Structure formats: structure tokens, C-alpha cells
């Protein structure tokens, strides 16, 4: 038992109190984020913030790293999109794309970027995946006009989904014209070799290309060609330039009517092109139509299958259409074979990058 004097000394010098052997050599511990405790705390904080920050009004961008929520594009209207991309020059370069065609969209935009017209491009997305992906990379350049067709069938040529996809085209174009803008429509299995705008000479209502593979004379007529065996012309509905004139609007309205008269069926398995030709044929006397030169705007049946013609017209090609062939892989291979698949080595030239 300590004496009274010893107890007084211990009280005046507390560091000499006996220390339990359990604390010898033990240092203060810090919680590491890589430890199980640290991970549990981090997970708790993430859940806590996930529950609280919507109520606190904090911006999602603080947590997502994205400056704007993609969900806002669901409310983005065609009128807003047209005003955005058409503000410089009053022309909109428009295409309609579903998710399976994103690589072709990227390839097409690269070729347009080389002609310095990419700012005019508007992608009409036919599914929400396309809407969000394009606007994530290139804000404001994609819009979806509800309802979106079934993205699983829209890209299959000859299917009802493909018809539903293509039959919306004249409605989109008519709305752009009603807003007072010029519209240049392209399918995205095209590549620009030169600037097409100098070829839209004069003040015609509708400019288009022949879908035939037969070679025309260099100085061929720019009038609507004569009807073929089916009683109508064979104009391509995949490359059209329209001015916002009453005549161009009339053709779009007639195109819409013809699509309603000749809907898709298991027997006909039609697409939008026959209806477009009927619309041209039935309005030809009321509308100023202009057939673009074949040397500049050849069909795929001519450009990819007549090397002699290609050599003879070298330097005059403007937009090449990879039609007269079906299937993604086959189209990509043919583009590669002719040095027109730009995505592999030139994705950096496009605001979309390599989709």
C-alpha cells in the first residue's frame, strides 16, 4: 500500500501512473479509404448524398461530372433544334438515324466536316439511345420527334419497321420548310467528296438525283426524267435539297399522301421511294424541279460498278451513295475497298468522334 507521500507524488506527476501492457507500442489508427471500414463509410456517404441532394437542390453535375443532364434532350423540339443548327445561313443538313447506323453517321459527318458544313447538321434520332449519344458528344445536334419507331426493326430493309422509319421523312422535312429553312436531306450511307451547295443553282423548289445506273451524257437534261416501266420515275429519295417554297411544301404534302395510299404490306414490302416518285410525277406541272448532274451525284449502282466511268469523271464527284447493296458489313467493306470508310483513321475530324 503506497504511503500518503507516495500518493501525493503520483497525483502531482500523472505520467508515472502504471500503464496496462495492452497499450504498449500501440499508435493512433487512421481510417484508410481502401480498408473495409473506409469503403463502408464511403458507401454510406454516397447513399446519403444520393438521397439528400435532390431535396437540397444541388446540381447533379457536381456528382455526375456532366455539365448538363441528358434528360433535358427529351423535351428538345424540332423547332428548337432547327433554329440552333440553321442559325448560320438558314440551311439545315438533316439525316434520320437509329442506333445501328451510328458508325455510318460518324463516317458521313467526317466527310461533311471536311467541307466545313458540319455546324449545319441535324440528326433526327429515331431512338433515345441515338438522341442521348449524339447530344452527349455534340450538344444540340440531335432531336427526337415522338413517337420513336421500334429501334430493333427500323434498320432492316424491307421490313415494316424500315417503312415506319422512312415514312416519317417527309413529315420532318415539311416541318423544317414550314419553319422557313432550306433542307438538305441525306441518308448516312453517303460520303461527301466536295461541297454540294454550288450545285444547287438557281431558285428551283426541289433538287434530286437519278437512282439509275445507266450512264447519262455529260450535258444531260435537268428536267424530271421520263417514267420507267412502272409508270413512274426512278428518282432517289435519299438525297434531296429543298427550298422553303410553296412548291417544295406541296411535294412533301403529296409524298405524305402517297405513303398513306400505299402503306407497307407483307406482299409489297414497300419503302418511301416509290411514293416520293409518285409525288414528283403528280406535281411536276406545278413545281420547279431540278435533276442534279449524274457526274456529281451518281448512284451506287454506277459509281461502285463502272470503274471506266469513274475514271472518266474523276474530280467531278460530289456525293457518293453506297446503295445498290444491303447489309451493314457489306456496305462497310465496299466503302473500305474504295477508300471511303473514314472512321478508321479520321474519327478525330468529326465532332462525333468514332461512334
Amino acid at each position: 500500500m503506497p504511503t500518503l507521500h507516495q500518493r501525493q507524488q503520483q497525483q502531482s506527476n500523472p505520467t508515472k501512473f502504471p500503464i496496462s501492457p495492452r497499450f504498449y507500442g500501440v499508435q493512433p489508427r487512421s481510417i484508410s479509404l481502401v480498408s473495409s471500414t473506409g469503403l463502408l463509410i464511403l458507401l454510406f456517404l454516397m447513399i446519403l448524398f444520393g438521397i439528400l441532394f435532390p431535396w437540397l437542390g444541388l446540381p447533379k453535375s457536381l456528382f455526375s461530372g456532366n455539365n448538363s443532364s441528358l434528360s433535358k434532350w427529351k423535351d428538345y423540339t424540332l423547332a428548337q433544334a432547327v433554329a440552333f443548327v440553321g442559325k448560320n445561313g438558314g440551311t439545315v443538313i438533316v439525316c434520320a438515324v437509329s442506333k445501328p447506323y451510328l458508325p455510318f453517321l460518324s463516317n458521313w459527318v467526317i466527310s461533311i466536316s471536311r467541307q466545313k458544313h458540319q455546324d449545319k447538321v441535324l440528326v433526327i434520332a429515331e431512338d433515345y439511345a441515338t438522341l442521348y449519344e449524339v447530344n452527349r458528344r455534340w450538344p444540340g445536334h440531335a432531336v427526337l420527334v415522338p413517337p420513336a419507331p421500334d429501334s430493333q426493326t427500323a434498320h432492316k430493309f424491307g421490313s415494316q419497321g424500315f417503312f415506319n422509319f422512312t415514312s416519317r421523312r417527309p413529315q420532318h422535312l415539311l416541318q423544317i420548310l414550314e419553319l422557313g429553312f432550306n433542307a438538305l436531306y441525306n441518308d448516312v450511307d453517303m460520303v461527301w467528296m466536295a461541297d454540294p451547295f454550288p450545285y444547287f443553282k438557281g431558285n428551283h423548289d426541289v433538287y434530286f438525283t437519278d437512282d439509275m445506273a445507266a450512264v447519262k451524257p455529260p450535258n444531260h437534261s435537268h428536267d424530271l426524267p421520263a417514267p420507267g416501266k412502272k409508270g413512274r420515275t426512278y428518282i432517289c429519295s435519299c438525297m434531296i435539297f429543298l427550298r422553303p417554297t410553296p412548291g417544295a411544301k406541296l411535294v412533301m404534302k403529296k409524298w405524305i399522301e402517297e405513303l398513306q395510299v400505299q402503306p407497307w404490306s407483307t406482299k409489297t414490302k414497300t419503302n418511301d421511294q416509290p411514293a416520293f416518285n409518285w409525288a414528283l410525277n403528280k406535281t411536276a406541272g406545278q413545281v420547279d424541279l431540278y435533276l442534279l448532274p449524274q457526274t456529281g451525284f451518281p448512284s451506287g449502282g454506277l459509281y461502285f460498278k463502272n470503274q471506266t466511268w469513274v475514271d472518266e469523271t474523276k474530280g467531278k464527284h460530289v456525293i457518293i451513295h453506297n446503295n445498290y447493296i444491303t447489309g451493314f458489313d457489306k456496305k462497310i467493306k465496299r466503302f473500305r475497298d474504295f477508300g471511303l470508310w473514314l472512321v478508321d483513321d479520321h474519327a478525330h475530324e468529326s465532332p462525333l468522334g468514332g461512334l
Side-chain angles (χ1 to χ4, degrees), residues 54-72:
W55 299 97
L56 296 174
L58 296 175
K60 294 181 181 180
S61 60
L62 291 178
F63 304 92
S64 66
N66 193 352
N67 291 330
S68 61
S69 173
L70 290 177
S71 63
K72 73 178 183 180

Side-chain angles (χ1 to χ4, degrees), residues 81-348:
V82 169
F84 174 69
V85 302
K87 58 182 178 291
N88 297 319
T91 294
V92 178
I93 302 170
V94 61
C95 66
V97 181
S98 59
K99 185 179 179 181
Y101 272 100
L102 286 178
F104 288 92
L105 171 65
S106 183
N107 198 66
W108 177 69
V109 172
I110 292 169
S111 71
I112 294 176
S113 297
R114 291 181 170 186
Q115 305 304 324
K116 311 301 182 187
H117 287 295
Q118 70 276 10
D119 290 342
K120 302 182 181 72
V121 170
L122 176 60
V123 178
I124 296 182
E126 298 292 359
D127 51 57
Y128 285 100
T130 300
L131 175 72
Y132 294 144
E133 182 63 16
V134 173
N135 280 331
R136 182 179 70 83
R137 294 168 177 258
W138 200 16
H141 283 268
V143 65
L144 187 146
V145 181
D150 179 2
S151 61
Q152 297 303 311
T153 58
H155 65 280
K156 296 178 181 178
F157 183 83
S159 68
Q160 185 170 12
F162 184 85
F163 175 81
N164 294 341
F165 174 77
T166 58
S167 64
R168 289 156 54 90
R169 185 179 306 172
Q171 299 172 31
H172 301 326
L173 293 174
L174 177 60
Q175 188 171 350
I176 293 171
L177 298 181
E178 294 286 7
L179 290 167
F181 291 82
N182 300 320
L184 171 57
Y185 178 82
N186 274 192
D187 272 4
V188 291
D189 60 342
M190 293 184 168
V191 169
W192 288 26
M193 307 292 284
D195 187 346
F197 287 96
Y199 293 82
F200 305 141
K201 301 175 181 178
N203 293 303
H204 308 288
D205 297 318
V206 184
Y207 300 70
F208 45 79
T209 62
D210 200 331
D211 203 27
M212 300 297 289
V215 176
K216 294 177 178 290
N219 59 343
H220 67 76
S221 170
H222 297 291
D223 294 335
L224 185 68
K229 295 179 180 179
K230 295 183 179 181
R232 56 172 170 77
T233 50
Y234 292 91
I235 298 302
C236 186
S237 61
C238 306
M239 212 304 303
I240 312 167
F241 180 71
L242 303 158
R243 300 194 189 280
T245 61
K249 295 173 188 177
L250 176 63
V251 172
M252 294 301 101
K253 292 174 184 176
K254 192 63 179 176
W255 190 1
I256 294 169
E257 289 178 11
E258 291 297 324
L259 284 166
Q260 294 170 345
V261 171
Q262 303 176 50
W264 186 91
S265 69
T266 54
K267 182 179 180 181
T268 59
K269 295 185 178 181
T270 188
N271 56 69
D272 67 304
Q273 186 158 301
F276 177 60
N277 277 268
W278 283 120
L280 290 174
N281 296 171
K282 293 180 179 181
T283 61
Q286 310 166 62
V287 181
D288 188 351
L289 305 176
Y290 186 86
L291 176 66
L292 290 162
Q294 186 185 53
T295 52
F297 304 86
S299 70
L302 175 57
Y303 184 86
F304 294 106
K305 296 185 178 183
N306 191 330
Q307 189 59 46
T308 300
W309 180 88
V310 171
D311 293 339
E312 291 175 349
T313 56
K314 186 176 181 179
K316 297 180 180 180
H317 310 137
V318 181
I319 294 181
I320 307 302
H321 188 194
N322 196 358
N323 64 346
Y324 276 72
I325 191 173
T326 58
F328 290 175
D329 292 341
K330 291 180 181 179
K331 283 178 178 280
I332 291 173
K333 182 181 184 304
R334 188 158 75 172
F335 265 155
R336 281 194 172 122
D337 290 344
F338 282 78
L340 298 176
W341 189 245
L342 310 174
V343 176
D344 292 339
D345 301 317
H346 303 281
H348 63 280

